[in-house]
Amino acid sequence: MAWTREQMAERAARELEDGFYVNLGIGIPTLVSNYIPEGMSVQLQSENGMLGMGPFPYEGEEDPDLINAGKQTITALPTTSYFSSADSFGMIRGGHIDLSILGAMQVAQNGDLANWMIPGKMVKGMGGAMDLVAGVKKVVVVMEHVAKGKDGSEAPKLLKSCDLPLTGTAVVDMVITDLGVFTIDKKGEGGMTLVELADGVTEDEIRAKTEGAFKVALA
Amino acid sequence: MAWTREQMAERAARELEDGFYVNLGIGIPTLVSNYIPEGMSVQLQSENGMLGMGPFPYEGEEDPDLINAGKQTITALPTTSYFSSADSFGMIRGGHIDLSILGAMQVAQNGDLANWMIPGKMVKGMGGAMDLVAGVKKVVVVMEHVAKGKDGSEAPKLLKSCDLPLTGTAVVDMVITDLGVFTIDKKGEGGMTLVELADGVTEDEIRAKTEGAFKVALA
Amino acid sequence: MKKVYPDPTAALAGLLRDGMTIMAGGFGLCGIPDELIDAIRASGVKGLTVISNNAGIDGVGLGKLLDTRQVARMISSYVGENKEFARQYLGGELEIEFNPQGTLAERIRAGGAGIPAFFTKTGVGTKVAEGKEVREFDGESYVMERGLFADLAIVHAWKGDTEGNLVYRKTARNFNPMMATAAEVTVAQVEHLVQPGEIDADHIHTPGIFIGRMIHVPAREKRIEQRTVRQRKQPEAAAAGGGQI
Amino acid sequence: MKKVYPDPTAALAGLLRDGMTIMAGGFGLCGIPDELIDAIRASGVKGLTVISNNAGIDGVGLGKLLDTRQVARMISSYVGENKEFARQYLGGELEIEFNPQGTLAERIRAGGAGIPAFFTKTGVGTKVAEGKEVREFDGESYVMERGLFADLAIVHAWKGDTEGNLVYRKTARNFNPMMATAAEVTVAQVEHLVQPGEIDADHIHTPGIFIGRMIHVPAREKRIEQRTVRQRKQPEAAAAGGGQI
């Protein structure tokens, strides 16, 4: 049995540490905030200019001046601070954010990441993704292990090298998929390592669905 | 009769315009604020992080957290804003200050300025002077026309080229001395022009006390 | 030296010309200078280069200038929510230069602070770095990016005094403070206009020196792009989110 | 995750080592982290490189670390008011690197914001540009300056909450906000320690992310370097002044 979206988020939450400042992308990464352990202090950054992001507002209490980077209405916490976009990305680029958890279209075995454009399709822009992966101390990708086509075909997303335009080169430290967890030695020569299997998933299944080379070091 | 310090400051004040944001150096330039015409809005910037500088405080009302760039206690005005040194020099370097009035040791006919160190003497540092002359829209120097030695000798300060280490190259727009006023075409080839004489001062006297070449275009 | 103008049209009088470059503050529909955008639309000025993180949505914010084809070129980081934008772009009527959001913010900040160029890690090895100088510092590669400076910046603030000192509110701050510094003339619209001295000098986000003209825009309904809420009975759902993918 | 420490010595425990680089906030004696300087002096750590706009005065501020010869090198813009500094400098015991004040501020801001280098007009054609790359952009010459990042930054704030969110007061802000961002660890001393939520989130100058440790230093008398006043009977004398000559 592969992991559900919730299980992937729960697994990603185990990368959190007390006192961490974290930026979460939209989709599964957003769910990670539901699994912050009780008593652990984790402050969420929103790159449009906020640190200390709270939950969605109660209906009727939405504030148009208070949104996250996904443009959703949110709330503040007692710890919240606001700042400009320049200061926000100074924080990101300067390496002050401990962890970024985000989605991806493709990840290469050396840590290259592609998640912003598909040639031939309308390009919406990279938003803050390139800044986040270049600047944040640790980058964790959470994604489906394979891309499913409309015809039921499956294409691997963990590749030898990305064929989509890159968001960043050698930026990913960890990949959590529905099938397992990989670490990537992005600064060194260590390559990609499979370190965990989802419940009931075999190494063979992962091998069949992964193009990129990887070592195995299961705990 | 050469101009007094007060007359030099008064002359410099005629370079002010309504709505100007101005940075004044210490010494004679400081006196310029006494000659801001009634009804003219001029905001003084202090490069340590303040816009809208007020007068000295009344005795007993000094605030150690409120000083100017000369480290003197000052006061705020209703228009005052405070900001960081980075923002302050962003303002200066970005060309947002209209006018800087400052002292000098030497000025060359092309607008070069020297006012921060004398080789062989203890160097105190340039402070914000290099940033101001490089960044402010219009730079006016107010200084004695000649440097008087202890032995009574006189050395010209308006030179063909400065022999002291420079604060900036081609940065001075106007020089007001006790003997007269010069404009400098710092961006072009127009050189230095004598445009005003102090009361009772002759062109010949200025010529005798000036090393730099200048044209004459008295009003 | 009066900075306060009676209405948006008066505040923009003499500042608009075809082919000019305009910076517009805001992130999504949050903190956008919408009244000033309306006046630019009404002026009919065209061939504009617009620097703004997003391009509004159809018929709202900068979307209004797209509807009338007044924009020839955008410099943005993300334009996802605009069908008219997509139509003009795919039809070759509109040029777009995508900048990473942090690079865009820093380029604007640099332009306002007299920095013609700087180096950043962001985008190294990607399309963003193509044709740009890449240089190593202390063993890491960085790409050189240029400062941005516009003919006109339009910004939205929560509160402003007549001297032009501005305070922004919550995440409506975003790109507004840097843009205010990075144009020949900056025009601000403020929800609350007060007298000098009514804003604590330590709370001012944008000093008045950067504001050439301003208008008072008493509160009107602000649009929300993604209304997300939680139910009162449920346990608290968290609300993180990121603009990237 | 507790950021608040009981005293300066505890807050600096484990952070100090010989030969390290320390940034110290303040302009003159205004906004200096004096209690933390005292603790550094008491620690006896030596061979320090200190990045600070000024060097204090004799026996006050950084002057205290000069008296004990703990400083090997200073990066500053102006050191005019310190006799012990002059003595050590002229005697070759102390190295000094002078930076234009704005370049120093920007180098620190760049270091904190992940910018390894930037270009500025300041100092082109002067001693400051010697040995550095000078490049033309749009017909003007600029010199390349590098970002600065320290092992430790010590800053002084007016108010701080236990999350590390800081507010500075008046011109005591100066170099403190940039320095808070530009070191491996930043330790802040705050005059007023409050709980999260007690500072309006729009008024925070330094978000808590930048502050690793903090101490509460209830008000003590602050030194004034140049006490200048006006008499009540006189007409108002103006008080402009500049650090340059």
Side-chain angles (χ1 to χ4, degrees), chain B residues 64-115:
Chain B
D65 289 342
L66 183 46
I67 64 172
N68 66 15
K71 285 140 194 158
Q72 300 169 312
T73 46
I74 48 159
T75 58
L77 299 171
T79 52
T80 296
S81 56
Y82 301 108
F83 33 81
S84 73
S85 299
D87 287 346
S88 180
F89 283 94
M91 201 178 276
I92 289 167
R93 198 188 308 104
H96 303 282
I97 306 286
D98 297 290
L99 178 65
S100 173
I101 303 178
L102 73 176
M105 297 172 184
Q106 299 181 334
V107 176
Q109 64 195 35
N110 70 337
D112 286 359
L113 169 71
N115 75 352

Side-chain angles (χ1 to χ4, degrees), chain B residues 14-206:
Chain B
R14 281 167 41 204
E15 301 306 311
L16 300 171
E17 294 179 27
D18 191 34
F20 260 27
Y21 294 90
V22 178
N23 187 292
L24 300 178
I26 63 171
I28 302 175
T30 302
L31 301 176
V32 173
S33 58
N34 294 327
Y35 299 98
I36 300 171
E38 195 76 31
M40 185 183 277
S41 162
V42 170
Q43 297 292 322
L44 301 179
Q45 201 245 21
S46 189
E47 65 265 30
N48 53 318
M50 180 185 196
L51 198 60
M53 190 166 30
F56 294 137
Y58 291 118
E59 199 162 350
E61 295 180 2
E62 307 90 333
D63 182 341
D65 289 342
L66 183 46
I67 64 172
N68 66 15
K71 285 140 194 158
Q72 300 169 312
T73 46
I74 48 159
T75 58
L77 299 171
T79 52
T80 296
S81 56
Y82 301 108
F83 33 81
S84 73
S85 299
D87 287 346
S88 180
F89 283 94
M91 201 178 276
I92 289 167
R93 198 188 308 104
H96 303 282
I97 306 286
D98 297 290
L99 178 65
S100 173
I101 303 178
L102 73 176
M105 297 172 184
Q106 299 181 334
V107 176
Q109 64 195 35
N110 70 337
D112 286 359
L113 169 71
N115 75 352
W116 77 283
M117 72 175 281
I118 299 175
K121 287 206 181 176
M122 173 66 194
V123 184
K124 293 184 167 188
M126 69 291 282
M130 286 191 180
D131 308 281
L132 282 161
V133 299
V136 171
K137 279 183 200 145
K138 179 171 180 172
V139 174
V140 173
V141 164
V142 180
M143 65 178 191
E144 300 296 319
H145 201 90
V146 296
K148 295 188 176 83
K150 282 175 191 158
D151 57 358
S153 67
E154 292 191 342
K157 297 175 70 171
L158 271 171
L159 305 172
K160 288 195 191 311
S161 72
C162 301
D163 48 41
L164 292 176
L166 295 180
T167 305
T169 55
V171 292
V172 177
D173 294 280
M174 176 178 273
V175 181
I176 297 169
T177 77
D178 49 330
L179 303 185
V181 180
F182 296 79
T183 58
I184 295 177
D185 179 25
K186 70 184 183 189
K187 295 282 178 200
E189 302 290 311
M192 188 160 73
T193 306
L194 173 63
V195 296
E196 281 176 48
L197 295 172
D199 309 327
V201 171
T202 65
E203 209 182 300
D204 281 351
E205 180 181 353
I206 285 191

Side-chain angles (χ1 to χ4, degrees), chain A residues 13-20 35-43, chain D residues 1:
Chain A
R14 280 167 41 205
E15 301 305 312
L16 299 171
E17 294 179 26
D18 190 35
F20 260 27
Y35 299 98
I36 299 171
E38 195 76 32
M40 185 184 277
S41 162
V42 169
Q43 297 294 321
Chain D
M1 196 66 197

Side-chain angles (χ1 to χ4, degrees), chain A residues 180-191:
Chain A
V181 180
F182 296 79
T183 57
I184 296 177
D185 179 26
K186 70 184 181 188
K187 294 285 177 197
E189 301 291 311

Side-chain angles (χ1 to χ4, degrees), chain A residues 26 30 33 56 63 73 115 124, chain C residues 79 169 228 230 238 240 242 245:
Chain A
I26 63 171
T30 301
S33 58
F56 293 138
D63 182 343
T73 45
N115 74 351
K124 293 185 168 187
Chain C
V79 296
R169 183 169 177 271
T228 43
R230 61 186 149 143
I245 305 305

Side-chain angles (χ1 to χ4, degrees), chain C residues 228-239:
Chain C
T228 43
V229 297
R230 61 186 149 143
Q231 301 308 317
R232 287 194 188 267
K233 24 215 153 189
Q234 269 182 222
E236 299 200 353

